[in-house]
Amino acid sequence: MPTANHAILADQFADARDGLTLVAIVPAGIPVTTLKVDVDAQQEKELPLLTESMLRLIGAGVTAPTDLSGLLGFPVDPVRRTLSEGMFRGHIRLDPNSSDGDERVRLTPLGQQVAVEHAAIRPVRERMTFYYDGTLGDIQPYDPALLVQARKAADEDLLKLPAVTTNPVHADDVTPEKLNSLLRADADNRYTVLCVRDVRHPPTPRYLPADLLVYSDPDRKDIEVAVVIDGKISTAHELALISRGGANALGIRVDPPAERPRLNDELELIRVPIATSREKTSSHAMPGAGPGEQGKVVGVSVFDHPRLLEDAITQARDRLLIMSPWIKKSVVNNAFIAKLEGRVRRGVRVDIAYGFSRHDTKCDPEAVGLLEDLSKSYPESFTFSRLNSTHAKVLIYDNTCVTTSFNWLSFQGARDRTYRMEEGNLVTIRSFTDTQYAYFLSRIADERMA
């Protein structure tokens, strides 16, 4: 199901492919595996203040323990213990020219480096966490908070992008060079990986939500896809998909555009088409309307529909009517129900009707159940009806009426990945909306299943 954000993406990327039209924006999921990587590494560890100060003084020529104690203001015993630790770590050595009564120390080359960098380097064995992008076949710096479980990806009907391989990730698949390139990007990191010993991960990947842009030429022979992550096109993912067959391998097809519902001649005359959608905010007087009656009549693209539905269930003040042949849980979920209930509790009259045919089974029972439960809680202000048959796709709220070929409460192309341009009409002329509202209420009453 397209989201309200897709209208923004459509504005941003509609012209990203010369000669091609943006046909669909499909919610997608990139398979990501959480890797627990056992490594041998070097760790830079910040020096204790006493150690750092002592190394710097020795480097400046203060080499006797008693002199170091006096300048540092520490008793000689902790100074000698720190010197012994420095010898153990290879930072300090005894001066071969010192006598028994005049013991002196010098910095080793490693100690000189540590004194300059103010950090000690020690070998460690660590288990680190990285994220492996299955589509790219490489680790990436993803935020784990953005990843979703496989079940949620299925519930949201994300198109799962293919992985390079279904084989487990092994130590040979991740190199120290790649790990270190990611670690260096972290300002707080103090590790340098020397060797990858083992890789462990769960059998089921999580998914990084993304958006798949589907472009097509007028003859629907040239279909291209692009992957958008966090509002930016990922060329790496696009090339990875092309190498595996692109849109064809994903089962994506583009059908001819759906026929737009026609308005009466007067409204068709003033309708602003989608091609000039930048003018949608213009108001137009309706010929034959009441004195001073104003409104707008504009074309609605497939990417505008989710935003309009969101506006309806969050901003309707008086009335809300939705007719849609099918209902899917990718649209009607708990968040949708919460917003709809918010309208009902504020006194908005709500009518929702569905049903492609008497024996149709394409609706999700879970989504239907959510609406049934809500209607039982508010029987005076919310009606939910199963119709014998409806092809109508209508959204009416307050002064706005949208007639379209778009399925408001489902996304019919999601199962077989066949997409087409869905176009509608938005009218905000009160007399027209009132007439349409009464007409569709009457249809619901006449076609309601017993």
Side-chain angles (χ1 to χ4, degrees):
M1 170 68 190
T3 67
N5 183 55
H6 288 174
I8 299 174
L9 293 179
D11 287 341
Q12 185 176 359
F13 297 113
D15 300 323
R17 294 291 187 275
D18 290 340
L20 302 180
T21 300
L22 181 61
V23 175
I25 301 177
V26 186
I30 298 168
V32 177
T33 302
T34 302
L35 304 181
K36 299 297 183 180
V37 184
D38 293 332
V39 301
D40 287 340
Q42 288 182 340
Q43 181 188 27
E44 292 184 359
K45 188 174 182 180
E46 291 187 359
L47 297 174
L49 180 60
L50 177 58
T51 301
E52 178 185 337
S53 300
M54 189 178 299
L55 292 178
R56 294 175 67 180
L57 284 174
I58 295 172
V62 181
T63 60
T66 53
D67 293 341
L68 291 169
S69 174
L71 287 173
L72 291 170
F74 278 88
V76 71
D77 284 346
V79 169
R80 288 189 180 277
R81 284 196 296 269
T82 303
L83 286 173
S84 297
E85 182 179 350
M87 292 178 184
F88 173 77
R89 298 191 178 280
H91 301 158
I92 299 169
R93 62 180 175 85
L94 284 174
D95 188 337
N97 298 319
S98 61
S99 62
D100 291 341
D102 186 26
E103 190 177 68
R104 294 183 177 274
V105 294
R106 294 285 186 268
L107 294 182
T108 66
L110 176 61
Q112 293 172 2
Q113 178 183 348
V114 170
V116 171
E117 297 180 355
H118 301 219
I121 300 173
R122 64 188 183 95
V124 294
R125 182 164 293 178
E126 290 287 332
R127 175 167 291 179
M128 300 179 173
T129 301
F130 296 94
Y131 299 94
Y132 183 86
D133 184 314
T135 298
L136 296 181
D138 202 357
I139 56 174
Q140 295 294 315
Y142 292 146
D143 182 352
L146 300 179
L147 305 180
V148 300
Q149 300 291 341
R151 181 173 180 178
K152 184 176 181 181
D155 288 343
E156 296 181 358
D157 199 26
L158 299 186
L159 173 57
K160 297 174 183 177
L161 301 189
V164 174
T165 178
T166 57
N167 295 328
V169 181
H170 296 292
D172 293 341
D173 299 320
V174 288
T175 64
E177 291 76 17
K178 182 60 178 179
L179 298 182
N180 287 327
S181 69
L182 294 180
L183 291 173
R184 282 193 292 270
D186 182 359
D188 296 327
N189 171 66
R190 292 186 174 274
Y191 290 95
T192 299
V193 174
L194 303 176
C195 173
V196 177
R197 288 189 167 272
D198 190 24
V199 175
R200 302 179 185 183
H201 54 80
T204 303
R206 289 188 284 173
Y207 292 88
L208 176 70
D211 290 296
L212 195 70
L213 311 183
V214 180
Y215 296 88
S216 175
D217 65 335
D219 296 328
R220 301 177 303 282
K221 294 180 180 179
D222 184 10
I223 302 175
E224 295 184 7
V225 294
V227 180
V228 174
I229 302 173
D230 195 24
K232 299 178 180 179
I233 287 182
S234 170
T235 302
H237 285 88
E238 181 177 351
L239 293 175
L241 291 180
I242 291 173
S243 70
R244 295 180 200 112
N248 186 58
L250 293 172
I252 290 176
R253 299 183 300 277
V254 178
D255 275 356
E259 183 177 356
R260 173 180 65 85
R262 290 222 19 119
L263 300 167
N264 63 46
D265 291 343
E266 291 178 333
L267 295 183
E268 287 288 341
L269 182 65
I270 63 172
R271 179 181 183 272
V272 177
I274 292 176
T276 53
S277 60
R278 292 293 181 272
E279 304 171 27
K280 284 183 182 179
T281 56
S282 301
S283 293
H284 303 273
M286 176 184 176
E293 185 173 14
Q294 296 287 315
K296 60 183 178 181
V297 184
V298 298
V300 178
S301 81
V302 64
F303 311 110
D304 293 321
H305 289 80
R307 175 184 54 80
L308 291 169
L309 180 61
E310 179 74 10
D311 288 347
I313 64 175
T314 59
Q315 299 180 25
R317 299 182 304 276
D318 303 315
R319 60 188 178 185
L320 169 60
L321 182 149
I322 303 172
M323 294 184 71
S324 178
W326 298 283
I327 298 176
K328 299 289 188 181
K329 62 184 178 182
S330 58
V331 182
V332 180
N333 50 29
N334 289 328
F336 180 97
I337 292 296
K339 293 172 184 176
L340 191 63
E341 183 175 14
R343 294 299 93 199
V344 176
R345 291 171 65 89
R346 286 168 174 78
V348 177
R349 163 74 184 273
V350 177
D351 297 273
I352 295 179
Y354 77 104
F356 183 74
S357 67
R358 177 176 288 272
H359 303 292
D360 180 68
T361 59
K362 291 183 179 179
C363 293
D364 288 333
E366 181 182 344
V368 171
L370 289 174
L371 289 169
E372 287 177 340
D373 290 344
L374 187 61
S375 67
K376 292 174 182 177
S377 299
Y378 301 92
E380 301 298 323
S381 52
F382 177 29
T383 65
F384 179 56
S385 305
R386 171 73 186 265
L387 308 183
N388 287 307
S389 176
T390 182
H391 294 267
K393 293 111 175 177
V394 180
L395 174 69
I396 295 175
Y397 63 104
D398 298 336
N399 197 37
T400 299
C401 176
V402 185
T403 54
T404 179
S405 60
F406 182 85
N407 292 286
W408 289 106
L409 302 182
S410 71
F411 186 43
Q412 189 178 2
R415 190 171 299 277
D416 61 7
R417 302 301 170 192
T418 298
Y419 303 99
R420 63 181 185 179
M421 289 301 295
E422 307 275 1
E423 185 174 350
N425 312 301
L426 182 147
V427 181
T428 61
I429 298 172
R430 184 77 192 193
S431 60
F432 175 84
T433 302
D434 286 346
T435 300
Q436 293 294 298
Y437 182 69
Y439 169 72
F440 285 110
L441 281 181
S442 176
R443 280 190 57 181
I444 291 172
D446 292 343
E447 299 176 16
R448 184 181 293 120
M449 288 180 61

